[in-house]
Amino acid sequence: MAATPEREFEHLREHSIGLPGVLFQSVTHMAPGAAIAFSILVSVQFAGPTLPLSVLFALIACLLVANSIGQLAKQIPSAGGLYAYVSQALGSRAGFFTGWVFLLFEPLVFPFIILVFATATEDVVKNELGINISWWPWVLVGAGIVFALTYRDVRISARAGVILGLFEIVVFAALSIWMLISNVGDLDLRAFDPSNATAGSFNGVFKGMIFGILAFIGFEASAPLGEEAKHPRRTIPRAVVLSALVIGLLYVLASYAWVYGAGFDKFVKQATTNADPWRALATVFWGGGWVLIFLAIINSAIANANAGVNAATRVLYAMARNGAAPRALARTHPEFRTPHVAIIVNVLVGTAIALLLGAIWGPVDAYATIGTAVTVVVIVIYILVCVGTIVFYRRHRPSEFNPLVHAVFPVLGALAFAFPLYYQYKDAPDYPIRWGNWFAIAWMVAGLVLTAWIARARPSALEAADRVFVEDETVSVP
C-alpha cells in the first residue's frame, strides 16, 4: 500500500479510544432501550405477535452486513466509515453517492431519537408527577445534554457511552427474564409462526422487519472512529460484529418476553393502547420499578443521540477534508480535537428538524416518519457495502479473497435487505409515515443527479473521495 502525503488537514485525537469505548459507540448508537420501547414498537402493527420472528430476521441480515463492514474496516480504517469503504471499493462516484445518502441517514439519528427522549419524559412528568410540560422543551434539554457530551474530548463521550449503554442493557434484560419466568407455563413457538402476523404471513413479517432494522441501525457506528480508535484494524471489525450480535440477541429476548408478558392474544392491544407499553409492563411486573425502565429509555435516547452525533460529524469531517463537503466542517477544536463545527451544525439543524416535524405531525408520528426515511436509505447503503466487499477483495486483495466471507455472506446480506425494502413499497404504510418512503427516494434521486453534475463540473471533488486518511497519511488503495 503506497502512502504519500497530499495536504495538511486538522487532525482528530488519534488512537485514543480502546475496544470498550469503540464497542459502546455502536451499542449506544443502536439505543437498545429506546429501540425496544419505540422502534420495535412500530413493527407491532405489521408483525403482531410474530414480532420476535421479524426481529430475528433483522438480526441475521445485520450480522451478514456486519461481516462485510468488518472486512472492509480491516483494510480501510478511516473517519469516513462507510463512505470511505464504498469509495475505495466501488469508485469515487459510488462513494460520493454514499456520502450524500449518509447525509440523510446519520445526521437524522439525533433529531428522531431526541423525540423519543421528549415523548417519554413528557409522558412521565405529566402522568406520574402531574406537571403538564409539553414535549418541545424536553427536545431542547436533550439537545443541550448531547451537545455537552460530544463537543469536548471524544474520550468523555466514549466513557459516557459505556456507562449509559450498560445500564439500559441490564435493566431491559432483567425485566425480560422476569416476565419469561413469570409466564413460563405459557411459552411456546407461536411467536415464530408467520401465519400469526397481523398484516398477513411474510408480508407482515418483512414489513415488521423494516422497523426491526431501524432498531439495529448503529451497529456500524464504530466505523467512523477508525482514526480515533486504538488498533483500528482489529478494534473496529470486532466492535461492529459484537454489537450487532449481542444487542440483536437482547432484542429477540425482549420481543419474545414482551409478547408473552402481555399475553399472546392480548399483545397487540397492550402494545398499541399504551403511550409507553414497556413502562406499563414494568408497572405490572415490578410495581414502582417502572422508574428503572423510564430511566433506561431516556438514558438510551441520550446515549443514542450522543453516538449519532459522534458518527455523523466524523463522516462530515472526512467528506469536508476530502473536499466533498464545506471545508469548515473539517475544522477541529484546538484543545479537544473534536470536529466542533460539524458538531454545532448537526445539533442545531437536528434540533430544528425535531421541533418542526414534531409540531407538524406530533412527536410520535414525526419519529416514525424520520425513522422510515432513515431505514430505507441505510438499507441501500448496506447493500452497497455488501457489493463493495466482493469487488474490493476481488480487485485489490485477491490473495486474501475467501469465497465464503467475501462473496457468499455479502450476497446473502444484500438479498436479506432487499426483501423488507420490497415490502416497504409494495404496500406502503399510511401517511404521514409514507412520506418517509417518498422522501428517501427523492433524496437518493437528487444524489444521483448531483453525483452526475459534480462528475462533469467538479471532478476533483469526486477524485478526493478515493483518498482515505490513515495514520496521518493520505492512502489510496492501488
Side-chain angles (χ1 to χ4, degrees), residues 147-428:
F147 179 76
L149 286 174
T150 55
Y151 188 78
R152 297 175 64 85
D153 192 329
V154 68
R155 292 171 293 186
I156 296 174
S157 58
R159 292 185 194 117
V162 173
I163 296 169
L164 297 175
L166 283 173
F167 175 72
E168 62 185 288
I169 290 170
V170 169
V171 170
F172 272 89
L175 179 55
S176 298
I177 293 170
W178 191 290
M179 289 192 293
L180 290 177
I181 293 173
S182 300
N183 293 276
V184 66
D186 298 324
L187 304 181
D188 54 37
L189 295 178
R190 285 181 294 168
F192 296 97
D193 181 353
S195 66
N196 290 316
T198 299
S201 194
F202 282 100
N203 177 61
V205 171
F206 283 125
K207 291 188 74 174
M209 185 180 166
I210 280 283
F211 288 94
I213 292 168
L214 176 60
F216 277 90
I217 288 176
F219 69 86
E220 78 293 336
S222 56
L225 298 183
E227 294 169 36
E228 294 163 283
K230 297 176 182 176
H231 312 297
R233 297 178 192 276
R234 296 198 310 269
T235 303
I236 301 299
R238 290 177 183 176
V240 170
V241 175
L242 277 176
S243 62
L245 176 61
V246 173
I247 301 305
L249 292 175
L250 173 65
Y251 288 163
V252 175
L253 169 69
S255 58
Y256 185 75
W258 188 2
V259 170
Y260 290 92
F264 189 88
D265 296 324
K266 301 176 182 177
F267 165 67
V268 174
K269 182 178 180 180
Q270 190 277 342
T272 56
T273 57
N274 285 287
D276 187 345
W278 272 85
R279 185 164 64 84
L281 288 170
T283 301
V284 171
F285 288 93
W286 280 357
W290 66 264
V291 174
L292 290 176
I293 287 293
F294 166 65
L295 292 176
I297 290 172
I298 63 170
N299 155 94
S300 179
I302 292 296
N304 185 192
N306 171 65
V309 171
N310 276 341
T313 53
R314 270 58 182 183
V315 175
L316 288 171
Y317 160 84
M319 292 181 70
R321 186 178 59 184
N322 283 354
R327 180 67 178 172
L329 297 176
R331 293 179 57 190
T332 60
H333 194 282
E335 178 183 355
F336 306 135
R337 311 311 302 167
T338 56
H340 63 301
V341 175
I343 290 170
I344 293 170
V345 170
N346 193 181
V347 172
L348 287 178
V349 173
T351 302
I353 290 173
L355 292 172
L356 177 62
L357 296 187
I360 295 173
W361 294 322
V364 175
D365 280 344
Y367 164 79
T369 303
I370 297 172
T372 298
V374 165
T375 305
V376 169
V377 297
V378 82
I379 284 176
V380 173
I381 292 178
Y382 287 165
I383 291 174
L384 283 172
V385 169
C386 287
V387 174
T389 301
I390 300 170
V391 174
F392 181 88
Y393 275 88
R394 291 289 293 176
R395 180 180 298 170
H396 302 299
R397 298 290 185 272
S399 63
E400 301 175 32
F401 182 81
N402 181 307
L404 179 64
V405 175
H406 302 133
V408 175
F409 286 171
V411 168
L412 291 176
L415 290 175
F417 277 98
F419 282 106
L421 188 62
Y422 167 75
Y423 280 100
Q424 181 67 9
Y425 286 92
K426 177 179 179 290
D427 185 15

Side-chain angles (χ1 to χ4, degrees), residues 66-92:
N67 164 75
S68 291
I69 294 172
Q71 291 303 310
L72 291 174
K74 289 195 300 185
Q75 304 291 343
I76 314 166
S78 167
L82 307 190
Y83 153 69
Y85 302 165
V86 175
S87 295
Q88 292 289 308
L90 301 179
S92 57

Side-chain angles (χ1 to χ4, degrees), residues 120-133 138 279 290-291 294-295 298:
T121 306
E122 178 196 19
D123 179 58
V124 166
V125 170
K126 181 182 296 182
N127 294 312
E128 301 296 339
L129 302 181
I131 303 173
N132 191 5
I133 301 177
W138 298 116
R279 185 164 64 84
W290 66 264
V291 174
F294 166 65
L295 292 176
I298 63 170

Side-chain angles (χ1 to χ4, degrees), residues 451-472:
T451 302
W453 177 79
I454 288 183
R456 290 173 59 88
R458 292 184 57 203
S460 60
L462 290 182
E463 292 168 3
D466 280 334
R467 296 195 298 272
V468 180
F469 293 89
V470 183
E471 300 169 350
D472 298 349

